Amino acid sequence: MDITNKLKRIKIPTHLALILDGNGRWAKKKNLNRTDGHSKGFETLINICKTIRKIGIKYLTVYAFSTENWNRPKKEVDFLLDLFEKGIDRLENEYKDDDVKLIISGELDRFSQNIQNKINRFVANSFNKSGFVLNLCLNYGGRAEIVRAVNKIINEKLEYVDEKKFSKYLYTADLPDPDFVIRTSGEQRLSNFLPWQTIYSELYFPKVFWPAFNDSCLLKALKVYSKRDRRFGRVKK
Ligand code: IPE
Ligand code: IPE
Ligand code: MG
């Protein structure tokens, strides 16, 4: 399906955020290992990124690994770390000639030096790009992000910050707030995802497990988004 033909009357969010959930349940349903779900989930991400760029979404945030996900069995965490390492190579290769900027939300210091080097290189090499911004949340926790910002402010000995200034101390300093958050798998919670930035985001919780999320799921989601009436506390015009 060429989704671009089907976009009439559909509002395109400037910033889309995805909480990739349901890899394990997708695998279980197919009698596969949870790790197979993560592998398929990564392929799904690569594919959907293509469509997301094609339809003109400018910012994409992807929640891939939370501060709480370290509490999973070691074998699963190790698999995910390996997948991130390969995934970064793949993404860098995929985007090397494109106007794509990578930013990271989360503390990288818990990852191996090899992963950190790869990510830092990609971030540095794409620093001046701006066509499409991919914000990857790795070892990300929303509360940790806020506390980190507070500590930076204390270290700089500032006496007063307003909301605008405060938000400059977050990982998302240069990004607009997400317009639309999609969490797959039917779970209706944010699980420590962007608590500061999502106060006025539209939320959508489709039942589909992440590995099965395809262009028509995205189109359906965008149709839902297009019907939302975003009032920001005002009265409808
Ligand atoms: C999302 O899928 C991937 C990560 C959080 C890393 P899950 O692994 O959470 O899949 P379920 O929720 O157990 O099905
Ligand atoms: C949220 O999914 C975190 C990511 C998608 C990275 P989880 O599967 O970890 O969340 P909970 O445990 O169901 O809240
Ligand atoms: Mg989950």
Side-chain angles (χ1 to χ4, degrees):
M1 174 183 70
D2 185 0
I3 195 171
T4 46
N5 294 331
K6 304 198 173 191
L7 291 175
K8 282 180 209 126
R9 290 190 298 280
I10 284 192
K11 281 188 209 147
I12 300 293
T14 304
H15 184 173
L16 172 67
L18 298 173
I19 303 177
L20 315 182
D21 199 14
N23 292 353
R25 281 164 283 165
W26 177 87
K28 192 171 178 206
K29 214 175 79 185
K30 293 193 155 352
N31 271 325
L32 298 167
N33 295 321
R34 289 181 57 82
T35 49
D36 296 320
H38 296 315
S39 298
K40 178 70 167 72
F42 179 68
E43 296 306 320
T44 298
L45 179 64
I46 295 271
N47 285 334
I48 212 74
C49 275
K50 288 191 183 125
T51 309
I52 285 169
R53 285 180 63 202
K54 200 156 70 180
I55 65 180
I57 291 173
K58 162 106 187 179
Y59 300 91
L60 174 67
T61 290
V62 172
Y63 198 15
F65 195 82
S66 72
T67 46
E68 289 74 30
N69 287 146
W70 294 104
N71 298 322
R72 294 188 175 200
K74 185 172 182 308
K75 262 174 84 177
E76 181 169 343
V77 171
D78 285 347
F79 184 90
L80 284 166
L81 295 177
D82 197 46
L83 189 63
F84 296 150
E85 192 167 340
K86 290 184 192 131
I88 290 293
D89 285 339
R90 177 100 177 264
L91 281 174
E92 193 168 24
N93 199 38
E94 185 105 2
Y95 293 147
K96 66 178 180 317
D97 301 322
D98 295 356
D99 192 13
V100 174
K101 180 183 174 108
L102 177 72
I103 67 168
I104 299 290
S105 293
E107 277 317 294
L108 291 181
D109 55 6
R110 251 187 110 166
F111 295 107
S112 70
Q113 200 54 53
N114 206 19
I115 295 187
Q116 290 185 48
N117 292 346
K118 281 180 192 214
I119 291 177
N120 290 335
R121 189 185 62 208
F122 190 169
V123 169
N125 287 343
S126 67
F127 186 76
N128 290 320
K129 298 187 177 183
S130 61
F132 175 70
V133 179
L134 174 62
N135 173 30
L136 214 49
C137 300
L138 291 174
N139 188 24
Y140 174 84
R143 286 193 175 172
E145 178 183 37
I146 290 172
V147 170
R148 174 180 174 269
V150 170
N151 283 317
K152 280 177 159 224
I153 290 165
I154 293 171
N155 279 338
E156 290 184 19
K157 301 195 171 24
L158 299 185
E159 280 188 6
Y160 175 82
V161 289
D162 58 12
E163 291 178 12
K164 199 169 168 207
K165 180 85 179 167
F166 184 82
S167 63
K168 294 292 170 203
Y169 288 85
L170 299 172
Y171 296 114
T172 50
D174 300 321
L175 269 62
D177 287 342
D179 300 290
F180 191 36
V181 178
I182 304 174
R183 180 179 185 147
T184 53
S185 89
E187 304 298 353
Q188 303 195 18
R189 57 177 171 266
L190 293 177
S191 304
N192 208 2
F193 182 59
L194 302 181
W196 175 275
Q197 300 89 337
T198 53
I199 53 162
Y200 266 110
S201 304
E202 296 297 329
L203 310 178
Y204 177 57
F205 303 103
K207 289 219 157 50
V208 57
F209 295 134
W210 174 252
F213 193 86
N214 57 21
D215 281 3
S216 60
C217 301
L218 179 66
L219 184 66
K220 198 168 150 194
L222 292 174
K223 282 184 180 160
V224 170
Y225 173 73
S226 302
K227 291 200 185 103
R228 297 280 174 93
D229 181 20
R230 306 189 72 194
R231 289 190 292 279
F232 300 98
R234 300 187 188 100
V235 174
K236 193 176 178 183
K237 276 182 217 142

